[in-house]
Tab-separated table of all heavy atoms in Angstrom:
chain	number	residue	atom	x	y	z
A	917	LEU	N	100.929	160.566	14.092
A	917	LEU	CA	99.938	161.555	13.788
A	917	LEU	C	100.611	162.667	12.983
A	917	LEU	O	101.218	163.567	13.499
A	917	LEU	CB	99.332	162.185	15.105
A	917	LEU	CG	98.766	161.129	16.121
A	917	LEU	CD1	98.282	161.806	17.351
A	917	LEU	CD2	97.669	160.335	15.464
A	918	LYS	N	100.490	162.548	11.641
A	918	LYS	CA	101.224	163.400	10.750
A	918	LYS	C	100.906	164.863	10.904
A	918	LYS	O	101.762	165.715	10.836
A	918	LYS	CB	100.940	162.939	9.317
A	918	LYS	CG	101.720	163.692	8.256
A	918	LYS	CD	101.404	163.182	6.849
A	918	LYS	CE	102.165	164.023	5.771
A	918	LYS	NZ	101.848	163.510	4.435
A	919	GLU	N	99.620	165.172	11.117
A	919	GLU	CA	99.185	166.530	11.155
A	919	GLU	C	99.856	167.351	12.255
A	919	GLU	O	100.107	168.560	12.087
A	919	GLU	CB	97.655	166.642	11.413
A	919	GLU	CG	96.854	166.050	10.289
A	919	GLU	CD	96.635	164.517	10.427
A	919	GLU	OE1	97.325	163.897	11.259
A	919	GLU	OE2	95.749	163.984	9.719
A	920	ILE	N	100.240	166.706	13.350
A	920	ILE	CA	100.939	167.429	14.434
A	920	ILE	C	102.313	166.850	14.686
A	920	ILE	O	102.931	167.260	15.688
A	920	ILE	CB	100.075	167.402	15.698
A	920	ILE	CG1	99.733	165.951	16.139
A	920	ILE	CG2	98.796	168.248	15.563
A	920	ILE	CD1	98.961	165.862	17.480
A	921	ASP	N	102.771	165.982	13.850
A	921	ASP	CA	104.148	165.394	13.974
A	921	ASP	C	104.336	164.807	15.399
A	921	ASP	O	105.334	165.041	16.063
A	921	ASP	CB	105.174	166.431	13.695
A	921	ASP	CG	106.608	165.815	13.516
A	921	ASP	OD1	106.666	164.606	13.256
A	921	ASP	OD2	107.613	166.547	13.763
A	922	VAL	N	103.373	163.960	15.771
A	922	VAL	CA	103.441	163.312	17.049
A	922	VAL	C	103.472	161.794	16.860
A	922	VAL	O	102.712	161.262	16.017
A	922	VAL	CB	102.259	163.709	17.964
A	922	VAL	CG1	102.110	162.747	19.142
A	922	VAL	CG2	102.386	165.130	18.451
A	936	LYS	N	106.981	164.478	20.574
A	936	LYS	CA	106.911	165.551	19.557
A	936	LYS	C	108.222	166.297	19.474
A	936	LYS	O	108.558	167.096	20.320
A	936	LYS	CB	105.795	166.536	19.905
A	936	LYS	CG	105.758	167.678	18.848
A	936	LYS	CD	104.541	168.609	18.998
A	936	LYS	CE	104.631	169.681	17.932
A	936	LYS	NZ	104.631	169.182	16.575
A	940	PHE	N	111.774	174.575	18.479
A	940	PHE	CA	111.473	175.838	19.160
A	940	PHE	C	112.615	176.355	19.985
A	940	PHE	O	112.815	177.533	20.135
A	940	PHE	CB	110.218	175.706	20.025
A	940	PHE	CG	109.019	175.130	19.301
A	940	PHE	CD1	108.090	174.369	20.031
A	940	PHE	CD2	108.779	175.368	17.962
A	940	PHE	CE1	106.948	173.826	19.374
A	940	PHE	CE2	107.659	174.859	17.321
A	940	PHE	CZ	106.767	174.068	18.039
A	1269	ASN	N	97.227	181.958	20.693
A	1269	ASN	CA	97.413	180.678	20.074
A	1269	ASN	C	98.582	180.690	19.064
A	1269	ASN	O	99.337	179.721	18.983
A	1269	ASN	CB	96.097	180.259	19.297
A	1269	ASN	CG	96.141	178.821	18.918
A	1269	ASN	OD1	96.455	177.933	19.653
A	1269	ASN	ND2	95.724	178.548	17.632
A	1270	GLU	N	98.770	181.780	18.447
A	1270	GLU	CA	99.865	181.947	17.470
A	1270	GLU	C	101.224	181.740	18.158
A	1270	GLU	O	102.092	181.046	17.621
A	1270	GLU	CB	99.809	183.365	16.877
A	1270	GLU	CG	100.701	183.654	15.718
A	1270	GLU	CD	100.414	185.052	15.174
A	1270	GLU	OE1	100.734	186.049	15.894
A	1270	GLU	OE2	99.841	185.167	14.063
A	1272	ASN	N	101.587	180.296	21.344
A	1272	ASN	CA	101.551	179.018	22.064
A	1272	ASN	C	102.006	177.852	21.200
A	1272	ASN	O	102.771	176.978	21.666
A	1272	ASN	CB	100.132	178.715	22.561
A	1272	ASN	CG	99.772	179.473	23.830
A	1272	ASN	OD1	100.625	179.968	24.526
A	1272	ASN	ND2	98.495	179.472	24.176
A	1273	LEU	N	101.637	177.875	19.946
A	1273	LEU	CA	101.982	176.734	19.068
A	1273	LEU	C	103.482	176.654	18.748
A	1273	LEU	O	103.899	175.715	18.099
A	1273	LEU	CB	101.170	176.832	17.800
A	1273	LEU	CG	99.667	176.495	17.924
A	1273	LEU	CD1	98.902	176.775	16.635
A	1273	LEU	CD2	99.456	175.070	18.354
A	1274	LYS	N	104.270	177.626	19.236
A	1274	LYS	CA	105.653	177.612	19.070
A	1274	LYS	C	106.394	177.419	20.372
A	1274	LYS	O	107.576	177.714	20.481
A	1274	LYS	CB	106.124	178.948	18.431
A	1274	LYS	CG	105.594	179.167	17.033
A	1274	LYS	CD	106.164	178.190	15.998
A	1274	LYS	CE	105.706	178.516	14.565
A	1274	LYS	NZ	106.316	177.596	13.601
A	1278	TYR	N	103.685	174.523	25.996
A	1278	TYR	CA	102.289	174.454	25.570
A	1278	TYR	C	101.995	173.087	24.997
A	1278	TYR	O	100.966	172.498	25.255
A	1278	TYR	CB	101.997	175.566	24.599
A	1278	TYR	CG	100.606	175.518	24.063
A	1278	TYR	CD1	99.536	175.973	24.822
A	1278	TYR	CD2	100.357	174.998	22.784
A	1278	TYR	CE1	98.221	175.886	24.327
A	1278	TYR	CE2	99.058	174.918	22.286
A	1278	TYR	CZ	97.993	175.352	23.040
A	1278	TYR	OH	96.727	175.281	22.574
A	1279	TRP	N	102.868	172.610	24.105
A	1279	TRP	CA	102.633	171.290	23.509
A	1279	TRP	C	102.652	170.161	24.531
A	1279	TRP	O	101.835	169.234	24.466
A	1279	TRP	CB	103.647	171.050	22.403
A	1279	TRP	CG	103.258	171.674	21.096
A	1279	TRP	CD1	103.689	172.834	20.554
A	1279	TRP	CD2	102.291	171.118	20.154
A	1279	TRP	NE1	103.060	173.076	19.358
A	1279	TRP	CE2	102.200	172.025	19.096
A	1279	TRP	CE3	101.541	169.965	20.120
A	1279	TRP	CZ2	101.366	171.832	17.991
A	1279	TRP	CZ3	100.690	169.754	19.076
A	1279	TRP	CH2	100.627	170.676	17.995
A	1282	SER	N	99.354	170.416	26.391
A	1282	SER	CA	98.219	170.095	25.538
A	1282	SER	C	98.146	168.586	25.227
A	1282	SER	O	97.119	167.998	25.172
A	1282	SER	CB	98.274	170.900	24.268
A	1282	SER	OG	98.177	172.255	24.552
A	1283	LEU	N	99.339	167.993	24.939
A	1283	LEU	CA	99.349	166.562	24.646
A	1283	LEU	C	98.933	165.770	25.876
A	1283	LEU	O	98.172	164.809	25.826
A	1283	LEU	CB	100.747	166.136	24.189
A	1283	LEU	CG	101.111	166.606	22.786
A	1283	LEU	CD1	102.604	166.353	22.510
A	1283	LEU	CD2	100.275	165.904	21.757
A	1286	SER	N	95.215	165.988	26.237
A	1286	SER	CA	94.498	165.187	25.231
A	1286	SER	C	94.447	163.707	25.597
A	1286	SER	O	93.405	163.072	25.516
A	1286	SER	CB	95.177	165.428	23.856
A	1286	SER	OG	95.102	166.750	23.435
A	1292	ASP	N	90.946	163.753	21.099
A	1292	ASP	CA	91.739	163.742	19.885
A	1292	ASP	C	92.822	164.743	19.954
A	1292	ASP	O	92.544	165.937	20.003
A	1292	ASP	CB	90.840	163.960	18.684
A	1292	ASP	CG	91.560	163.770	17.329
A	1292	ASP	OD1	92.818	163.611	17.367
A	1292	ASP	OD2	90.955	163.899	16.292
A	1293	PRO	N	94.128	164.366	19.913
A	1293	PRO	CA	95.201	165.379	19.930
A	1293	PRO	C	95.160	166.372	18.793
A	1293	PRO	O	95.708	167.464	18.913
A	1293	PRO	CB	96.476	164.517	19.891
A	1293	PRO	CG	96.049	163.164	20.366
A	1293	PRO	CD	94.635	163.015	19.918
A	1294	LEU	N	94.562	165.972	17.689
A	1294	LEU	CA	94.491	166.893	16.507
A	1294	LEU	C	93.674	168.136	16.817
A	1294	LEU	O	93.832	169.170	16.129
A	1294	LEU	CB	93.919	166.154	15.301
A	1294	LEU	CG	94.678	164.917	14.784
A	1294	LEU	CD1	94.049	164.388	13.527
A	1294	LEU	CD2	96.122	165.265	14.550
A	1295	LEU	N	92.847	168.078	17.872
A	1295	LEU	CA	92.040	169.259	18.221
A	1295	LEU	C	92.947	170.405	18.732
A	1295	LEU	O	92.508	171.576	18.785
A	1295	LEU	CB	91.077	168.903	19.311
A	1295	LEU	CG	89.892	167.934	18.896
A	1295	LEU	CD1	89.092	167.577	20.136
A	1295	LEU	CD2	89.061	168.606	17.830
A	1296	ILE	N	94.188	170.111	19.032
A	1296	ILE	CA	95.121	171.195	19.460
A	1296	ILE	C	95.252	172.260	18.361
A	1296	ILE	O	95.436	173.451	18.672
A	1296	ILE	CB	96.537	170.552	19.776
A	1296	ILE	CG1	96.394	169.638	20.962
A	1296	ILE	CG2	97.535	171.676	20.033
A	1296	ILE	CD1	97.679	168.846	21.223
A	1297	LEU	N	95.063	171.822	17.103
A	1297	LEU	CA	95.174	172.759	16.009
A	1297	LEU	C	93.904	173.478	15.638
A	1297	LEU	O	93.875	174.280	14.688
A	1297	LEU	CB	95.695	172.011	14.723
A	1297	LEU	CG	97.100	171.317	14.867
A	1297	LEU	CD1	97.427	170.632	13.545
A	1297	LEU	CD2	98.169	172.374	15.137
A	1298	GLU	N	92.792	173.184	16.366
A	1298	GLU	CA	91.503	173.658	15.970
A	1298	GLU	C	91.070	174.974	16.710
A	1298	GLU	O	89.975	175.399	16.496
A	1298	GLU	CB	90.449	172.581	16.220
A	1298	GLU	CG	90.674	171.291	15.421
A	1298	GLU	CD	90.619	171.525	13.926
A	1298	GLU	OE1	89.623	172.125	13.483
A	1298	GLU	OE2	91.549	171.142	13.204
A	1299	LYS	N	91.913	175.497	17.502
A	1299	LYS	CA	91.457	176.620	18.347
A	1299	LYS	C	91.150	177.889	17.554
A	1299	LYS	O	90.198	178.606	17.885
A	1299	LYS	CB	92.475	176.935	19.438
A	1299	LYS	CG	92.638	175.796	20.447
A	1299	LYS	CD	93.407	176.176	21.660
A	1299	LYS	CE	93.420	175.038	22.689
A	1299	LYS	NZ	94.150	175.376	23.884
A	1300	ASP	N	91.859	178.154	16.508
A	1300	ASP	CA	91.533	179.338	15.709
A	1300	ASP	C	90.187	179.197	15.044
A	1300	ASP	O	89.431	180.216	14.874
A	1300	ASP	CB	92.626	179.557	14.622
A	1300	ASP	CG	93.833	180.246	15.188
A	1300	ASP	OD1	93.786	180.714	16.307
A	1300	ASP	OD2	94.883	180.237	14.484
A	1301	LYS	N	89.777	177.966	14.677
A	1301	LYS	CA	88.475	177.785	14.049
A	1301	LYS	C	87.342	178.102	15.063
A	1301	LYS	O	86.333	178.703	14.690
A	1301	LYS	CB	88.379	176.363	13.571
A	1301	LYS	CG	89.219	176.023	12.390
A	1301	LYS	CD	89.055	174.574	11.936
A	1301	LYS	CE	89.978	174.259	10.754
A	1301	LYS	NZ	89.807	172.841	10.301
A	1302	LEU	N	87.596	177.733	16.318
A	1302	LEU	CA	86.632	178.064	17.360
A	1302	LEU	C	86.478	179.587	17.488
A	1302	LEU	O	85.410	180.141	17.666
A	1302	LEU	CB	87.021	177.427	18.693
A	1302	LEU	CG	86.787	175.916	18.843
A	1302	LEU	CD1	87.361	175.443	20.170
A	1302	LEU	CD2	85.295	175.554	18.792
A	1303	THR	N	87.658	180.208	17.531
A	1303	THR	CA	87.663	181.682	17.734
A	1303	THR	C	86.882	182.398	16.687
A	1303	THR	O	86.141	183.351	17.022
A	1303	THR	CB	89.139	182.217	17.746
A	1303	THR	OG1	89.830	181.640	18.865
A	1303	THR	CG2	89.180	183.696	17.804
Side-chain angles (χ1 to χ4, degrees):
L917 306 178
K918 181 179 179 181
E919 296 86 346
I920 55 176
D921 191 22
V922 166
K936 179 171 177 59
F940 306 148
N1269 193 45
E1270 191 175 69
N1272 279 345
L1273 289 173
K1274 297 291 185 179
Y1278 176 77
W1279 275 100
S1282 298
L1283 288 170
S1286 297
D1292 185 355
L1294 299 185
L1295 292 175
I1296 296 171
L1297 299 179
E1298 300 296 310
K1299 293 191 175 181
D1300 280 346
K1301 292 181 182 178
L1302 285 174
T1303 296

